[in-house]
Amino acid sequence: MKYWLIKSEGDCYSIGDLKRDKRTAWTGIRNFTARNFMRDGMKKGDLILFYHSNGTPAAPTGVYGVAKVMSAAHIDETALDPKDEHYDPTAAKYAQEGKEPMWMCVDVGFVAAFAHPVLLEAMKRDSKLAAMLVLQRGQRLSVMPVAGHHFRRVLELST
DNA sequence: GCCAACGTTGGC
DNA sequence: GCCAACGTTGGC
């Protein structure tokens, strides 16, 4: 069992949206490192910290809940749809040529929304989370691995 | 809105 | 293969 963190802008797709939808394809990831984590690293049943980025004072940045990997990686159809905001002409060209899908995604399912979100500010103050990837300066990955002890610590802080 | 950090692109 | 330019992310 591995642990992950995925980012979403809270006003774009929030943990509340995932709770309503129960399950969704995590489409729109257009970064190779993030894609590789989904394609090669994620396994069905892995647990995910659901992080809201780009917060505001009213809705601060932080971890707002837990999700679960529901499927192996599959092609991200939004990359092939010219009308989609995440359309990628290069990916569409590759698909026509019968190459491996350029962009892939997993399905994620709702597990829990925290009664008390673990805000970025609180995570930074917690010495046990000092080495956590999401807290490192300059990192911008929207899909990243999380160490088991960091995952458990975030859960502790959410109670 | 600003800006630092980073990934990607493209000229050479 | 180098590197400058550019676009994007995301914290503040």
Side-chain angles (χ1 to χ4, degrees):
Chain A
M1 153 88 77
K2 289 190 177 133
Y3 301 95
W4 307 92
L5 180 145
I6 59 176
K7 291 180 185 173
S8 177
E9 298 195 19
D11 55 2
C12 177
Y13 193 86
S14 70
I15 190 72
D17 293 323
L18 183 59
K19 184 175 186 180
R20 179 199 63 216
D21 296 343
K22 295 189 176 62
R23 173 175 178 154
T24 193
W26 204 247
T27 56
I29 303 299
R30 300 290 179 266
N31 171 285
F32 290 109
T33 306
R35 179 207 67 183
N36 291 346
F37 283 136
M38 286 199 290
R39 187 188 65 185
D40 308 328
M42 283 189 177
K43 296 283 180 285
K44 212 169 155 178
D46 286 356
L47 291 174
I48 304 168
L49 297 175
F50 196 102
Y51 181 92
H52 290 185
S53 63
N54 270 315
T56 63
T61 297
V63 178
Y64 278 71
V66 176
K68 190 198 283 195
V69 178
M70 304 297 282
S71 77
H74 52 80
I75 188 165
D76 180 346
E77 301 285 352
T78 66
L80 310 181
D81 178 0
K83 294 187 295 296
D84 194 280
E85 63 170 320
H86 296 297
Y87 175 62
D88 181 346
T90 307
K93 180 164 160 281
Y94 283 7
Q96 255 184 348
E97 294 166 355
K99 294 185 182 163
E100 288 294 294
M102 184 171 178
W103 300 120
M104 301 184 75
C105 60
V106 298
D107 289 0
V108 302
F110 176 78
V111 174
F114 291 159
H116 304 286
V118 182
L119 302 185
L120 176 59
E121 189 232 337
M123 294 167 76
K124 282 186 182 168
R125 273 192 278 109
D126 191 273
S127 60
K128 292 182 181 169
L129 295 179
M132 195 174 175
L133 202 53
V134 73
L135 302 180
Q136 304 313 305
R137 182 163 170 270
Q139 71 70 32
R140 299 181 313 168
L141 276 175
S142 55
V143 176
M144 68 177 80
V146 172
H149 67 282
H150 288 149
F151 184 89
R152 288 185 286 276
R153 181 61 180 155
V154 170
L155 290 197
E156 274 178 24
L157 295 175
S158 74
T159 59

